[in-house]
Amino acid sequence: MVNFTIQNVLIAASDDYAKVDVQIVNGAIAAIAPNLQVIGTPIDGKNKLLLPGFFNAHTHSSEMWQRGIMSVLPLELWLAELYDFAPLDPEQVYLSALGTAVETLLSGGTSVVDHLVLIPGLELETIAIATRAYREVGIRAFIAPLIQDESLTAGIPSGESAQNHEPYFRSTTATLEIIEEAVRQFHRPDEGVNILVAPTGIQLCTDALFQGCAELSDRYNLCRHSHLLETKAQEKLAQQKYGCTAVEHLKRIGYLSDRTTLAHCVWLNDADIAILAETQSTVVHNPLSNLRLGSGIAPILKYRQAGVNVTFGCDGASSNDSQDLLEAIKMGSILHNVTDSDYQHWITPRQAVEMASLGGAKGFNLADKLGSLTVGKQADLVLYDLTNLSLLPRTDPIGLLVLGRPSNVVDSAWVNGKQIITDGKVTTINVDELRQELFNRSQWETKRKSQTVAQIEAHYRTVMGL
């Protein structure tokens, strides 16, 4: 492992900045102070800002193949359209995982949480391919195989009409067996690859699946991931299924914990928020997909005031159409200035940076190892070029990074002390070849509404009173 010293670099210090040297030894931060002795390779940090790497704490890598083409629809209808596309093949899984990793890294993320869509019948192969892609790039990967045990139509409230849903093609037991085998084969935290248990959400999962995942989580010390109350329809569905809120129900069946991250969390009430705080669950804020799908504005300021840990995610590239983490952080910060007139509750740029880094580390039980520039923590680091035009003139570097529209500002990045970006370029894979492959395997097209989507839409509009 290469040791190095970043010299004369700017870091955040209290309410100001400091110029320091940072020594990295055996993949960890060994010292932070001015004028340190150079250990290993010297890195010029002049006119650069050093921050801990951010977490892209919720995405779906395979959705890259539908970016830009999905209709302007709410989630339930958007999902029906997404299911209409041709099934994934293994090469698409590989290329889109590479692309997701690269875009995350170039926007300040050193960790990615992939709620990975599995190819039916090739579930373990899908996980293996994504694992290979993330290892090749070198990003820290949290692979959360997306699982369900109910059919798509079960995700919409029935309303006044009785609904018959086709049984899901794979049993709950078989699904849990796949996840357990994935843990055995691929869960290697010390090597930067983590497997999570990840039922998609209350709308498409039985209690048996949630409880089975919680048992696997406890047995193998795994983190838990899920969507939660992304839409108003899901709030209605929870009341229909459980006679209480989804949060109350998940607490009752033992799914919430300090190892649980929950994406979206738009439609929660004050009692739900108190439960998240009590169980030390983490909210992953996905502001861009929430807006793209018309899901709503999550009450992030309420979460923070209640002591709930919050971090950021891009969500999949067909409900956000981007994996620009800095864009998600900006939107996830300033969006809430319109939800609370008390500006003292608004999210500052420094708070946003802490949410994106330490907030992610806390959510995945790694706050003692990642998320801050602290001696002893692993060196997941990003160096930003403060001479870049989008970070000028010289005012507040973190303010410019979060509130501006920074582009091509990542100069260097390291994961566990291994350099992955040098001079603004990913060095572990050939990005030009990746671009060419993504171009060659796709074509310009438009999407037309299928009969299946039209049928689901008619029921959805009735149930939602549209």
Side-chain angles (χ1 to χ4, degrees):
M1 190 171 290
V2 176
N3 299 331
F4 58 95
T5 303
I6 306 172
Q7 297 181 287
N8 199 33
V9 71
L10 205 66
I11 65 169
S14 299
D15 293 327
D16 201 354
Y17 294 90
K19 285 186 179 179
V20 298
D21 298 341
V22 180
Q23 291 176 346
I24 308 300
V25 178
N26 295 327
I29 301 171
I32 303 173
N35 304 314
L36 291 173
Q37 178 185 352
V38 173
I39 293 180
T41 305
I43 304 290
D44 185 6
K46 184 179 180 182
N47 297 323
K48 295 182 177 71
L49 172 70
L50 185 68
L51 292 176
F54 300 149
F55 279 69
N56 183 357
H58 177 72
T59 190
H60 308 278
S61 63
S62 61
E63 287 183 15
M64 178 172 285
W65 296 99
Q66 288 82 38
R67 69 199 291 179
I69 194 175
M70 298 296 294
S71 300
V72 180
L73 292 169
L75 175 76
E76 286 73 20
L77 305 183
W78 172 92
L79 271 175
E81 183 173 285
L82 187 66
Y83 273 53
D84 258 4
F85 280 90
L88 292 167
D89 65 48
E91 184 65 12
Q92 286 178 307
V93 172
Y94 174 69
L95 292 172
S96 55
L98 289 179
T100 297
V102 168
E103 287 192 272
T104 295
L105 283 162
L106 292 175
S107 56
T110 52
S111 292
V112 63
V113 181
D114 189 356
H115 209 174
L116 181 67
V117 177
L118 304 177
I119 301 173
L122 297 174
E123 292 88 355
L124 289 170
E125 183 178 349
T126 307
I127 299 167
I129 290 166
T131 298
R132 176 166 66 93
Y134 290 132
R135 280 184 177 275
E136 287 179 8
V137 176
I139 198 168
R140 194 177 296 275
F142 298 80
I143 298 174
L146 188 151
I147 52 175
Q148 64 192 75
D149 58 355
E150 294 187 304
S151 61
L152 181 64
T153 55
I156 300 177
S158 61
E160 300 296 324
S161 59
Q163 297 288 309
N164 294 315
H165 308 297
E166 292 292 325
Y168 196 62
F169 76 93
R170 188 177 56 227
S171 72
T172 305
T173 300
T175 297
L176 292 169
E177 287 172 351
I178 289 169
I179 300 306
E180 185 165 17
E181 184 58 30
V183 173
R184 293 192 187 106
Q185 290 189 31
F186 308 114
H187 185 58
R188 303 289 184 272
D190 292 343
E191 300 172 18
V193 177
N194 303 265
I195 299 296
L196 279 57
V197 294
T200 184
I202 62 103
Q203 66 277 14
L204 296 174
C205 299
T206 64
D207 286 356
L209 187 59
F210 272 110
Q211 290 172 317
C213 284
E215 289 168 6
L216 286 175
S217 168
D218 291 341
R219 190 182 316 156
Y220 294 102
N221 193 30
L222 308 173
C223 289
R224 310 169 185 184
H225 192 63
S226 185
H227 300 95
L228 179 63
L229 293 177
E230 186 173 352
T231 66
K232 183 68 174 176
Q234 290 175 9
E235 181 190 42
K236 288 176 174 282
L237 181 68
Q239 287 292 337
Q240 175 186 302
K241 287 178 73 170
Y242 312 126
C244 64
T245 72
V247 175
E248 289 174 313
H249 188 72
L250 289 179
K251 180 188 177 185
R252 186 181 303 155
I253 63 174
Y255 191 75
L256 303 180
S257 77
D258 62 355
R259 286 180 289 154
T260 303
T261 50
L262 303 161
H264 302 289
C265 297
V266 177
W267 293 92
L268 276 66
N269 61 34
D270 289 347
D272 293 334
I273 294 171
I275 291 172
L276 294 190
E278 174 194 340
T279 57
Q280 300 180 59
S281 302
T282 289
V283 170
V284 182
H285 187 25
N286 301 273
L288 291 158
S289 64
N290 291 344
L291 293 174
R292 165 81 153 87
L293 302 175
S295 301
I297 299 176
I300 296 302
L301 300 185
K302 283 189 173 183
Y303 292 133
R304 286 173 51 79
Q305 291 169 60
V308 176
N309 183 46
V310 180
T311 191
F312 297 102
C314 288
D315 208 355
S318 62
S319 64
N320 173 352
D321 307 276
S322 167
Q323 291 297 293
D324 187 332
L325 191 50
L326 287 169
E327 182 184 39
I329 293 167
K330 174 179 179 176
M331 182 61 73
S333 302
I334 65 175
L335 177 63
H336 307 285
N337 296 0
V338 301
T339 66
D340 189 335
S341 60
D342 189 345
Y343 55 86
Q344 292 186 341
H345 297 154
W346 296 356
I347 298 169
T348 69
R350 289 190 179 224
Q351 288 170 338
V353 163
E354 184 175 12
M355 291 164 66
S357 51
L358 188 58
K362 286 179 180 176
F364 297 95
N365 248 25
L366 290 169
D368 60 332
K369 296 180 179 179
L370 297 172
S372 64
L373 299 181
T374 304
V375 172
K377 288 196 175 184
Q378 294 175 8
D380 286 21
L381 307 171
V382 178
L383 199 60
Y384 296 91
D385 178 8
L386 297 179
T387 69
N388 182 283
L389 184 60
S390 61
L391 294 181
L392 291 172
R394 288 190 290 171
T395 56
D396 179 353
I398 291 177
L400 286 164
L401 190 69
V402 172
L403 298 176
R405 182 62 179 90
S407 58
N408 303 316
V409 294
V410 173
D411 175 88
S412 304
W414 297 263
V415 174
N416 200 28
K418 178 184 177 182
Q419 189 159 9
I420 294 173
I421 297 179
T422 305
D423 296 328
K425 299 183 186 303
V426 175
T427 55
T428 48
I429 64 167
N430 189 321
V431 177
D432 288 336
E433 285 185 3
L434 170 62
R435 274 201 303 264
Q436 193 62 52
E437 284 293 322
L438 288 168
F439 184 86
N440 290 342
R441 288 184 59 88
S442 55
Q443 60 183 8
W444 314 123
E445 58 180 316
T446 57
K447 180 70 177 171
R448 292 179 173 84
K449 189 182 297 181
S450 71
Q451 185 176 358
T452 302
V453 175
Q455 291 172 344
I456 293 175
E457 182 175 12
H459 174 66
Y460 175 87
R461 290 186 66 82
T462 298
V463 170
M464 299 306 293
L466 301 173

